[in-house]
Amino acid sequence: MLDLQLYMAQRLSALVMAPLVLGHIAVMIYAIQGGLSAAEILGRTQGSLLWFLFYGTFVVAVSIHAAIGVRVIAHEWLRLRGIALGMLTWGICATLLALGLSAVFAVTLP
Amino acid sequence: MTRTPEMLHVTVQRGTANDTRTEHFDVPARENQTVLDVVSWIQQEADPTLSYRFACRVGMCGSCAMMVNGVPRWTCRTHVSRVASGGRLDIAPLRNLPVIKDLATDMDPFFDKWVAAEARHHPTRGRLEEFDPIKPDAPDRTEANLGIECINCGICYAACDTVAGNPEYLGPAALQRAWTLLNDSRDADRPGILAAVSGKGGCHNCHSMGSCAQYCPNGLNPMRAIAGLKRETVKGALRGKRDA
Amino acid sequence: MKQPPRSHPLWFAFVLHRISGLALALFLPAHFWLLSQAITAPARLDGFLAFAENPLVKIAEFGLVFLLAVHMFGGLRLMALEFLPWSDRQKTLAAGAVGAALFLSGTFFLRAI
């Protein structure tokens, strides 16, 4: 269940992500032309501050957004409550942050 | 050419909260017949122990609200021919409310949430003061008027899947009523109303699935009112941050 | 047993938004993990990318882009409903959101195959 703060965090992270999602889809449509390889990805992103900021922001926003979204589903459909619900929310946020930032670092570190 | 079936096959949920069962009745079909007629026939002719509620039987009081084939309706305003396919009717008590017996539910949680949403008038003036002139076409009055015809029948509450999934959620009717008072310039406790609808069970749980507006027999739109509450609470929060 | 009220367009929009969000949330950890292989095990990433040329994978990717686009357009529709002056054309907007999502993911698919 959401109170005002969680609701605003959800909406704000969504607004932040809207242009990022459009950018990501556009980049993907471009990038997959003629196949894709690890070297090709790294060739574009390695050492790039711009891609680091773009996908870094994306990862932070999606970690918050997905954690709150799954929180609501767990509450309404699985009847999760109290401490367990809070732990699930933070757990999802932390997992996505960790995995996501490791991916961002993996492709942008010089 | 389809023949009107002679008998309706009606299943009715019976029993108390912890002990429900489904019973089957064959009810004579008539050309003009409401679901309330069917339920009344069962109680009068087949089984006098059937418990159900009705009052005005002309679509004004909302007492006869029940689940008909899975949809919350006023049974006095629901023609059998509109809802019974193949002559089958399934009648159950309103969803999301505790069952007292058979088709009668306990409306207490519904009314308690109405109070919990601070959806009651907080007076500003006493009887010795000048009365407050309200222009009927003022924007906030027009907005409030959209929701004041609610007769608290509970159909929106039964229709809402968020109410079903979240027992603390105040529900469309209570929140709509709070919105009408928020827009009432005579109400003294705006901050109180905003706080009441911003808690764990507040307006921010609404997913805008619109079942409340879809099924309200009065054609009201609680979803719109709840969107208004969301706007006002967010505005209040942002304003608060700027003042702090 | 009590059944949910018969479905209507806005209810479908709600369910679609929830399911797409859940699917994306489940997909993301795998997506992140795979990309992080770029540094530690680029051969594994390349192996997967080669496997991803498979038409079935292309269809799955189309599905994912569709879910992302529909979730985003659905979410924007929700926020328009909440923060902009009320519009009675909500159902049209809901249909429009699905349409836009199909268009975007279709573009992706056609470029991918």
Side-chain angles (χ1 to χ4, degrees), chain B residues 161 209 211 215 230-231, chain C residues 5-6 8 11 18 82 86:
Chain B
D161 283 334
M209 70 179 74
S211 294
Y215 294 113
K230 286 173 175 170
R231 263 197 306 279
Chain C
R6 209 163 293 143
H8 50 96
W11 183 83
R18 177 165 283 196
E82 290 173 352
W86 179 262

Side-chain angles (χ1 to χ4, degrees), chain B residues 51 64 67 95 105 111 114 145 158 181 187 193 205 212 223 241-242:
Chain B
S51 300
C64 66
M67 305 298 285
R95 192 169 74 124
T105 57
F111 292 121
W114 187 5
N145 286 343
L181 288 160
D187 194 279
I193 297 177
N205 292 284
C212 53
M223 180 170 60
K241 284 208 190 98
R242 251 179 267 133

Side-chain angles (χ1 to χ4, degrees), chain A residues 13-99:
Chain A
S13 57
L15 280 176
V16 164
M17 281 197 285
L20 299 179
V21 166
L22 287 173
H24 182 56
I25 295 182
V27 166
M28 288 305 115
I29 291 179
Y30 168 76
I32 56 174
Q33 305 298 301
L36 197 56
S37 72
E40 210 188 307
I41 298 175
L42 287 172
R44 274 188 281 261
T45 60
Q46 204 159 30
S48 163
L49 180 65
L50 185 66
W51 287 125
F52 176 77
L53 288 174
F54 183 88
Y55 282 111
T57 313
F58 205 169
V59 163
V60 171
V62 84
S63 303
I64 298 171
H65 192 83
I68 299 178
V70 175
R71 173 195 176 89
V72 174
I73 298 176
H75 180 81
E76 290 184 9
W77 283 2
L78 299 177
R79 305 251 172 248
L80 211 60
R81 304 269 186 265
I83 309 243
L85 186 63
M87 279 173 46
L88 176 74
T89 312
W90 282 110
I92 293 177
C93 186
T95 308
L96 285 175
L97 260 180
L99 284 173

